[in-house]
């Protein structure tokens, strides 16, 4: 571009455009530099450039340094339109700074609106709680912003908003809006404040009036804005008409057919990428033909790329003539294929899911860095995907300049605050208490052992019912007790605002939470870094501005804090790679790189669906004069068109998202359809997905086979309880892990104890009942058994919430047990409970001992002895007993008949019975698996023979301890070692072969 380019010499208004395929900020900077630098050293710094965003302003400053060859330059005044403030030249709007009220902060506005939602909740069909009020306040804030940006005066339109054929809930919404918004205006007047959006609009209008009446005499350029807000559009019109003013549009489609351009005015134009600029030009009274090119067209390849993208995104009703447009394009350049030329540099990646997409994006960015002269950028509206890509780039030590930031909810100090807020609600929740106590910010340098002991002794297993119970568990571990006391003291302080009541103001709760955190952690550590500063700002806002929020319970306050923390993003600073960026869709409008990776191209992600307004239907929005929700789709379509016109573009989409099938973006689908109409296809980069899949799995997929360890014969058990024989029959691997390797499972923190406690309690109740009443059953037997059962449940650790249900079941179970005991004792001499027996055998020439602990044995006058086993769940079926998969009763009978219970002699086995007690219908039942006499004796003999064969088989050194040899019992008996055996991997791979 020559220095004599007459950007400001032609008559105004001056409207220019930089094509979508060109690097916007580089061309803008080069044009201004080449035009103004020859006029003298003061010409450039006296110029003013307006950009849409702060990031755009920074990008333009970098571009001046780049096109200037790195030499020192006095830059023009670069200001973002979205952050105008009074008192900052050249935006000083006269006396407005004295008469315009200050703006209310965004958080205080939300808190104040939440109070109004609560106060006017009677207008709704439900009573909003504190969290719902906060969410409705957010929706109200967005409604106010949209009205103020569009300069809609809703005061005189609210009365008739509910008129017409509207559903009842919209009428409720209209009444609620009318009530709250009028109260909001009065509240702002009382506070002497003004909404941020309204203040910004007033500043823009004041600036427009000032520049219209007294136009700036120096160079004034507004670049990159599409003027979606009326105040911005009118300001751009004034800028274009200034003596040395110009407006530079991003990617105006000058080649779109006039018929298609005209159709943008219709309803579909709201979703068209050129819709915003057409509305801007129409408002300014400028035709598309009057917009000049900022730079001359020299890149034919870029021109065809831009043409192809714009054709693909033309209005839906104008796509019927795609084939004729393709023919027209080819007629323009018969020496080459413009469609094929425009598709050069395009490629598509179809990832299976989000994780694979993130890996592909990271590899594409890393690949670009192999060339020291190339730059690369990821463009996506999906911040979660952007953070995943950042994480994957760190494996190569590459940190990109990212606008996505990091979620505050993932920061250590924020996690700690959320844990403490939840502990106020449940002070002895083992999982949360352990997570809080073991947090690096809480744990002192010499408290590592204390944390381990607190977990092992205090918090594994059933949750402690009180602080005294927790302290009792830790009485032998003073260091763990000290740590627990320190944490519990902080929890008590955080709970102090609630006193004896259930509610407190969120402001006071936040202050107590901060004080509790600072009692544990030095402030310089708690609030350190960007994340600590962000959290500190949030907590300070809650304390200072949260007074209007409605009173909340501990749970509601924790929900409020959780919601606010999850909405915050921490801007990541520090050293970043100079040639790598991760950008949002809007930011990419001005910034360009040698390779652009456009990711998140699924419907609902890019573009996002039209937002759902909880307060206004479409007719109500139209009645207020607000734009339709689809307008946002048109703006994102323009951003996509800008990015997709770059020379090297990779489009990435997922076939599945969140575990469900995903639909590829309409824009990607249109590009594919247009290419197919020209007999072409978009190139695929399947090699990248192959790299991703091979990156962490360098070999072919080879799942582990079914484990089958073969320990030495001398290490194999020669003494087993009947219950362990059952485990050997069903899952030998569990025997290898527990009985040979001595790997005993640890209880989880907050282990659910309902089923276990019920089984333990029923055994304890029967045992104690037999000891208290060895002969006759008393009249008050039912109440006595019920009391014993409940006491045993409490001792077993059942939580109070579950006890309420169990009391009703215990009453029914006790009544059944009392009647059952009376009937049983008519034919037995005595009752023996928890009897221990053993049987010494010689199997395969080597000694083996079988042991048992019988729940109940009942010797009878005829010389037999019944064997009973108590169950609260399902008892083994007859088939399981007969086939030897459940040999507990039959092997116990074998021990009995062979004199293994010394106090009983060698009686013949009587009935082998499971006694199932549930308290439901039926409350209890007997399930006899073998009758006294020959049947029980035969079953015992068969079980003993099966045991001998089983042990003899495992005396073979080549016999492995396989995992899950009886998978039909997996659901009933999942076992403690499935994770160690990697059951899910080998059982779902289709390969049940043996491993080693």
């Amino acid at each position: 571009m020559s220095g004599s380019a007459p950007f400001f010499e032609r008559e105004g208004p001056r409207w220019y455009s930089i094509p979508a395929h060109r690097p916007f900020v580089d061309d803008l900077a080069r044009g201004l530099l080449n035009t103004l630098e020859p006029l003298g050293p003061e010409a450039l710094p006296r110029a003013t450039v307006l950009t849409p965003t702060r990031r755009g302003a920074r990008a333009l400053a970098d571009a001046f340094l780049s096109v200037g060859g790195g030499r020192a330059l006095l830059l023009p005044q670069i200001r973002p339109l979205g952050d105008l403030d009074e008192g900052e030249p050249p935006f000083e709007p006269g006396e407005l700074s004295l008469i315009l009220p200050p703006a209310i902060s965004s958080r205080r506005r939300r808190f104040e609106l939440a109070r109004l939602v609560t106060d006017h909740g009677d207008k709704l069909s439900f009573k909003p709680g504190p969290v719902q009020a906060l969410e409705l306040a957010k929706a109200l804030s967005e409604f106010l912003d949209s009205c103020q940006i569009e300069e809609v005066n809703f005061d005189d339109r609210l009365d008739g908003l509910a008129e017409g054929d509207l559903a009842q809930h919209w009428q409720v919404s209209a009444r609620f809006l009318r009530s709250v918004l009028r109260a909001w205006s009065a509240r702002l007047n009382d506070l002497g404040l003004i909404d941020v959006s309204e203040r910004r609009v007033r500043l823009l209008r004041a600036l427009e009036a000032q520049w219209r009446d007294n136009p700036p005499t120096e160079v004034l350029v507004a670049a990159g804005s599409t003027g979606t807000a009326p105040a911005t559009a009118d300001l751009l019109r004034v800028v274009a008409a200034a003596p040395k003013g110009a407006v530079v549009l991003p990617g105006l489609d000058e080649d779109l057919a006039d018929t298609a351009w005209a159709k943008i005015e219709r309803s579909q134009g709201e979703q068209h990428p050129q819709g915003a600029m057409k509305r801007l030009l129409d408002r300014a009274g400028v035709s598309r033909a009057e917009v000049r090119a900022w730079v001359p067209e020299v890149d034919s390849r870029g021109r065809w790329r831009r043409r192809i993208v714009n054709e693909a995104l033309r209005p839906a009703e104008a796509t019927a003539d795609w084939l004729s447009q393709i023919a027209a394009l080819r007629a323009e350049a018969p020496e080459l294929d413009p469609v094929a030329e425009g598709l050069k540099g395009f490629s598509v990646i179809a990832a299976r899911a989000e994780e694979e997409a993130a890996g592909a994006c990271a590899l594409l960015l890393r690949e670009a860095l192999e060339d020291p002269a190339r730059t690369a950028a990821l463009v996506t509206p999906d911040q979660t995907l952007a953070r995943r890509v950042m994480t994957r780039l760190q494996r190569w030590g590459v940190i990109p300049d990212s606008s996505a930031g990091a979620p505050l909810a993932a920061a250590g100090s924020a996690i700690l605050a959320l844990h403490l807020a939840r502990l106020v609600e449940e002070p002895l929740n083992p999982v949360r208490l352990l997570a809080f106590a073991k947090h690096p910010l809480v744990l002192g340098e010499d408290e590592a052992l204390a944390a381990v002991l607190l977990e092992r002794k205090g918090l594994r297993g059933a949750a402690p019912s009180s602080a005294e119970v927790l302290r009792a568990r830790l009485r032998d571990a003073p260091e763990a007790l000290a740590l627990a006391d320190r944490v519990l003291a902080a929890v008590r302080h955080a709970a102090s605002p609630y006193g004896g009541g259930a509610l407190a103001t969120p402001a006071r709760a936040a202050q107590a939470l901060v004080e509790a955190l600072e009692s544990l952690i030095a402030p310089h550590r708690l609030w350190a870094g960007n994340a600590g500063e962000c959290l500190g700002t949030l907590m300070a806002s809650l304390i200072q501005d949260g007074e209007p929020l409605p009173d909340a319970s501990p749970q509601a306050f924790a929900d409020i804090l959780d919601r606010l923390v999850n909405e915050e993003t921490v801007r990541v600073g520090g050293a970043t790679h100079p040639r790598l960026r991760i950008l949002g869709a809007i930011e990419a409008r001005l910034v360009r790189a040698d390779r652009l990776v456009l990711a998140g191209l699924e419907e609902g992600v890019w573009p996002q669906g039209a937002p759902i307004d909880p307060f206004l239907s479409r007719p109500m929005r139209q009645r207020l004069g607000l734009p339709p929700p689809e307008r946002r789709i048109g703006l994102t379509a323009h951003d996509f068109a800008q990015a997709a016109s770059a020379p090297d573009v990779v489009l990435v989409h997922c076939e599945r998202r969140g575990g469900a099938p995903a639909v590829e973006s309409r824009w990607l689908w249109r590009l594919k359809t247009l290419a197919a109409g020209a007999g072409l296809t978009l190139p695929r980069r399947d090699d990248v997905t192959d790299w991703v899949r091979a990156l962490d799995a360098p070999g072919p997929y080879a799942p582990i086979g079914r484990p089958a360890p073969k320990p030495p014969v001398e290490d194999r058990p020669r003494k087993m309880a009947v219950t362990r024989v059952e485990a050997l029959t069903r899952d030998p691997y569990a025997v290898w892990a527990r009985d040979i390797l001595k790997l005993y499972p640890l209880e989880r923190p907050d282990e659910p104890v309902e089923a276990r406690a019920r089984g333990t309690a029923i055994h304890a109740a029967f045992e104690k009942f037999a000891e208290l009443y060895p002969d006759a059953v008393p009249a008050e037997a039912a109440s006595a058994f019920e009391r014993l059962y409940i006491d045993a449940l409490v001792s077993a650790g059942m939580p109070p919430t579950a006890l309420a249900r169990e009391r009703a079941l215990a009453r029914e179970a006790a009544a059944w047990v009392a009647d059952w005991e009376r009937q049983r004792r008519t034919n037995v001499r005595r009752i023996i409970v928890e009897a221990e027996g053993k049987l010494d055998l010689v199997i395969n020439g080597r000694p083996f001992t079988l042991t048992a602990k019988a729940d109940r044995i009942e010797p009878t006058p005829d010389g037999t002895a019944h064997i009973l086993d108590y169950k609260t769940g399902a008892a083994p079926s007859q088939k399981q007993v007969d086939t030897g998969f459940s040999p507990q009763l039959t092997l116990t009978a074998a021990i009995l008949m062979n004199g293994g219970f010394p106090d009983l002699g060698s009686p013949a086995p009587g009935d082998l019975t499971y006694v199932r007690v549930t308290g439901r219908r039926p409350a209890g039942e007997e399930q006899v698996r073998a009758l006294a006499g020959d049947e029980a004796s035969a079953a015992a003999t068969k079980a003993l023979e099966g045991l001998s064969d089983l042990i003899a088989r495992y005396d073979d050194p080549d016999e492995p301890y396989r995992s899950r040899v009886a998978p039909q019992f997996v659901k009933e008996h999942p076992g403690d070692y499935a994770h160690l055996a990697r059951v899910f991997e080998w059982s779902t791979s289709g390969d049940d072969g043996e491993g080693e």
Side-chain angles (χ1 to χ4, degrees), residues 94-112:
E95 298 179 354
L96 186 64
S97 59
L98 301 177
I99 63 174
L100 198 63
I104 188 172
S105 69
S106 59
R107 285 201 186 101
R108 183 169 186 186
R109 175 171 76 161
R110 189 172 176 186
F111 298 159
E112 293 279 358

Side-chain angles (χ1 to χ4, degrees), residues 358 381-389 404 657:
D382 186 351
Q383 291 194 352
T384 301
L385 176 64
R387 291 168 187 140
R388 284 174 167 165
V389 174
R657 177 172 280 271

Side-chain angles (χ1 to χ4, degrees), residues 534-574:
C534 184
L535 178 65
T537 302
L538 173 60
M539 299 306 295
S541 178
L542 259 176
I543 295 170
Q544 295 168 6
D545 302 329
E547 202 63 40
L549 282 170
D551 292 353
S553 66
Q555 179 181 357
F557 173 74
D559 290 341
I560 289 172
L561 184 61
D562 184 85
R563 193 66 55 91
L564 293 174
V565 166
N566 277 279
E567 292 173 357
E568 290 295 317
T569 298
V570 180
R571 297 303 168 191
V572 181

Side-chain angles (χ1 to χ4, degrees), residues 27 50 52 59 164 230 355 364 518 585 616-617 754 767 778 784 792 808 994:
D27 281 358
L50 308 179
E355 290 293 331
L364 288 166
E518 291 184 342
L616 300 175
S617 64
E754 280 83 353
E767 180 181 3
E994 293 182 11

Side-chain angles (χ1 to χ4, degrees), residues 276-359:
M277 280 186 287
K278 187 175 191 307
R279 287 188 295 273
L280 172 62
L281 294 177
D282 290 346
R283 187 180 183 97
V286 178
S287 68
R288 186 170 51 145
E290 295 179 79
V291 180
R292 306 287 184 86
W294 181 260
V295 294
E297 184 71 68
V298 295
D299 185 356
S300 62
R301 177 181 167 186
R303 176 192 174 207
W304 296 123
R305 166 64 63 79
R306 186 185 76 241
R307 293 283 299 277
I308 291 299
V309 172
N310 289 337
E311 283 295 334
L313 271 61
R314 61 165 44 202
E317 60 267 30
T319 58
D321 62 343
W322 258 349
L323 293 179
S324 61
Q325 287 297 323
I326 291 172
L329 283 172
R330 286 173 168 166
E332 287 184 36
E335 71 280 1
L336 52 82
D337 185 349
V339 181
E341 190 71 14
L343 292 179
K344 285 182 179 178
F346 250 139
S347 55
V348 178
I349 291 178
R352 291 174 179 169
E354 302 101 304
E355 290 293 331
E356 188 170 280

Side-chain angles (χ1 to χ4, degrees), residues 623-663:
R623 195 170 297 161
L624 282 174
L626 292 173
E630 288 79 12
R631 178 167 294 184
R632 188 178 299 178
I633 297 178
L635 298 176
T636 57
H638 175 260
D639 297 331
F640 172 79
Q642 284 285 104
S645 298
D648 182 5
V649 176
V650 185
L651 308 175
V652 181
H653 74 95
C654 297
E655 295 173 348
R656 299 182 70 84
R657 177 172 280 271
V663 178

Side-chain angles (χ1 to χ4, degrees), residues 265-282:
E265 295 179 4
R266 302 176 186 174
S267 60
Q268 290 294 328
E270 297 291 354
Q271 302 185 42
H272 193 273
Q274 296 291 310
M277 280 186 287
K278 187 175 191 307
R279 287 188 295 273
L280 172 62
L281 294 177
D282 290 346

Side-chain angles (χ1 to χ4, degrees), residues 4 132 909:
S4 60
Q132 292 171 311

